[in-house]
């Protein structure tokens, strides 16, 4: 049970400045204020130092009541435990052995047969200043000496550092530029193809590059399975002979591309009509005077053709 009593002493010292072991002595917690160590240029943190006074042996009840609360014993049992622990301390010292007090330290007999306490209490723990650290603070004289030393260095050093700094800045700028280009090139751009263009005045056909990409894609897909449109009655009802708006599904350059396109989308051939514009073949499948009607027909088309152009 001695070690149980030591745990109580350690706990009480975190909350009290004095813990008495009846008929043995008292542990005293002394606070050492913050101070400046000029030899090491360090501002030492305030700390708590544990010492032992064998002259304070009067029972103040603090240790006994702590034992009663935690161990579930009465006052007589707690005092008996303390007395047995003190008797064990004395026997160990008589046998010239040290008496451990856990993390607090230990007791030993010196050459004069007096009992002395060797503190091992960590000064940076278990106190009100926990978390604070010592700070390195140079004096003004030390800073002036350091500045003078730097000014007396060879000019080669700052020149080298300046060159390195310039190179580092250039590299950093290049990285930023590459990241910006990467974001710009990889970010998708949403194109609104529903913009209307007047056929009578000026029809803005797709750019040549877009046409080439569309045609190339169509040629690569010729050998694939033909997507069959199950029901095109809605397109037939709208008609492809009259109407102000045209629902264009492809823009091709020549007859060969047109034949390949018709082969791939054979189910739409009955509805395909050709609108010639600046040497290009614009294939449309429906016309209407209502713009929204044509837009609602996109669901009737194969999935690859639903990104239609509505011209007027």
């Amino acid at each position: 049970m001695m070690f149980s009593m030591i745990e109580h002493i350690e706990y009480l010292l975190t909350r009290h400045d004095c813990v008495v072991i009846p008929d043995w002595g008292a542990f005293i917690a002394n606070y050492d204020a913050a101070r400046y160590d000029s030899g090491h240029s360090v501002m030492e943190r305030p700390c708590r130092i544990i010492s032992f006074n064998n002259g304070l042996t009067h029972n103040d009840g603090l240790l006994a009541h702590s034992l009663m609360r935690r161990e579930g014993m009465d006052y007589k049992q707690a005092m008996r435990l303390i007395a047995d622990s003190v008797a064990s301390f004395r026997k160990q010292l008589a046998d010239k052995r040290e008496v451990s007090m856990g993390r607090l330290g230990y007791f030993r007999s010196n050459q004069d047969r007096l009992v002395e306490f060797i503190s091992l209490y960590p000064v940076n723990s278990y106190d009100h200043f926990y978390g604070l650290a010592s700070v390195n603070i140079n004096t003004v004289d030390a800073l002036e000496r350091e500045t003078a030393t730097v000014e007396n260095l060879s000019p080669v050093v700052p020149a080298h550092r300046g060159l390195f700094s310039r190179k580092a800045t250039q590299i950093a700028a290049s990285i930023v530029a590459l990241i910006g280009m990467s974001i710009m090139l990889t970010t998708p751009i949403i194109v609104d193809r529903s913009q209307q263009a007047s056929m009578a005045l000026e029809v803005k056909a797709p750019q040549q590059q877009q046409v080439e990409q569309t045609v190339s894609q169509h040629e690569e897909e010729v050998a694939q399975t033909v997507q069959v449109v199950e029901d095109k009655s809605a397109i037939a009802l709208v008609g492809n002979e009259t109407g102000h708006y045209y629902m264009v599904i492809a823009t091709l350059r020549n007859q060969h591309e047109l034949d390949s396109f018709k082969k791939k989308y054979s189910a739409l051939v009955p509805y395909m009509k050709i609108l010639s514009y600046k040497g290009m073949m614009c294939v449309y499948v429906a016309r209407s005077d209502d713009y929204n009607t044509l837009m609602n027909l996109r669901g009737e088309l194969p999935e690859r053709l639903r990104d239609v152009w509505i011209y007027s």
Side-chain angles (χ1 to χ4, degrees):
M1 297 293 289
M2 180 179 66
F3 289 101
S4 175
M5 189 184 74
I6 293 174
E7 293 176 357
H8 281 269
I9 296 172
E10 291 177 346
Y11 170 77
L12 291 172
L13 280 173
T14 63
R15 290 161 173 76
H16 302 275
D17 293 334
C18 179
V19 178
V20 178
I21 303 176
D23 297 328
W24 180 253
F27 289 97
I28 309 296
N30 297 305
Y31 283 90
D32 189 9
R35 59 187 180 85
Y36 182 71
D37 184 354
S38 58
H40 297 87
S41 299
V42 174
M43 176 63 74
E44 298 286 355
R45 68 187 293 278
C47 60
R48 200 166 185 244
I49 300 174
I50 301 299
S51 60
F52 184 77
N53 187 339
N54 58 7
L56 298 176
T57 60
H58 179 71
N59 179 24
D60 60 0
L62 181 63
L63 181 57
H65 281 84
S66 179
L67 290 168
M68 291 168 60
R69 285 193 303 271
R70 179 175 177 183
E71 308 300 336
M73 57 180 63
D74 57 26
Y75 182 75
K76 288 184 179 181
Q77 290 175 325
M79 291 303 299
R80 173 57 60 185
L81 173 62
I82 296 173
D84 291 344
S85 298
V86 171
S88 177
F89 295 166
R90 298 187 192 281
K91 186 177 184 303
Q92 291 184 56
L93 290 176
D95 295 338
K96 297 183 179 179
R97 290 187 297 168
E98 296 176 346
V99 177
S100 174
M101 297 300 293
R103 291 174 293 180
L104 298 177
Y106 60 91
F107 292 101
R108 70 182 180 185
S109 296
N110 58 24
Q111 296 178 352
D112 299 328
R113 296 184 179 181
L114 298 176
V115 178
E116 62 178 353
F117 175 69
I118 308 301
S119 177
L120 299 177
Y121 185 83
V123 296
N124 292 334
S125 303
Y126 312 116
D127 60 26
H128 301 296
F129 307 105
Y130 182 78
L132 295 180
S134 299
V135 181
N136 293 324
I137 301 177
N138 287 329
T139 62
V140 176
D141 293 339
L143 291 174
E144 290 178 349
R145 288 194 300 269
E146 182 179 351
T147 303
T149 302
V150 172
E151 291 176 351
N152 291 331
L153 291 177
S154 172
V156 175
V157 175
H160 175 73
R161 292 178 61 185
L163 178 61
F164 174 78
S165 299
R166 288 193 297 272
K167 289 183 177 180
T169 303
Q170 294 172 356
I171 293 173
S174 300
I175 293 174
V176 172
L178 289 174
I179 293 175
M181 292 178 65
S182 173
I183 295 174
M184 180 182 68
L185 295 176
T186 57
T187 302
I189 300 176
I190 300 176
V191 179
D192 184 5
R193 299 181 179 274
S194 62
Q195 294 180 355
Q196 303 177 7
S198 174
M199 292 292 294
L201 298 178
E202 180 181 359
V203 178
K204 295 184 179 179
Q207 298 295 326
Q208 185 68 22
Q209 183 179 0
Q210 293 178 341
V211 174
E212 292 176 358
Q213 291 176 351
T214 303
V215 172
S216 176
Q217 181 178 357
H218 291 333
E219 290 178 347
E220 291 175 359
E221 296 172 350
V222 169
Q224 298 180 6
T225 304
V226 175
Q227 290 182 275
V228 179
V229 181
E230 297 179 358
D231 183 13
K232 290 296 171 290
S233 59
I235 293 179
L237 291 175
V238 172
N240 55 9
E241 297 294 338
T242 61
H244 183 68
Y245 298 100
Y246 298 77
M247 187 166 71
V248 178
I249 60 174
T251 303
L252 308 174
R253 293 178 297 183
N254 50 50
Q255 187 65 39
H256 173 71
E257 293 180 356
L258 178 61
D259 293 339
S260 298
F261 185 75
K262 287 182 176 181
K263 183 178 180 180
K264 179 173 176 60
Y265 300 101
S266 58
L268 290 175
V269 170
Y271 312 102
M272 290 185 184
K273 296 293 181 179
I274 305 300
L275 176 67
S276 179
Y277 177 74
K278 293 186 178 180
M280 305 295 291
M281 297 181 178
C282 297
V283 181
Y284 67 93
V285 293
R287 292 178 63 178
S288 175
D289 289 323
D290 184 13
Y291 174 87
N292 293 326
T293 298
L294 295 180
M295 292 301 295
N296 293 333
L297 287 178
R298 289 182 298 177
E300 302 288 337
L301 298 172
E303 185 175 356
R304 291 182 177 274
L305 299 180
R306 292 177 185 175
D307 190 13
V308 297
W309 298 310
I310 306 298
Y311 286 166
S312 65

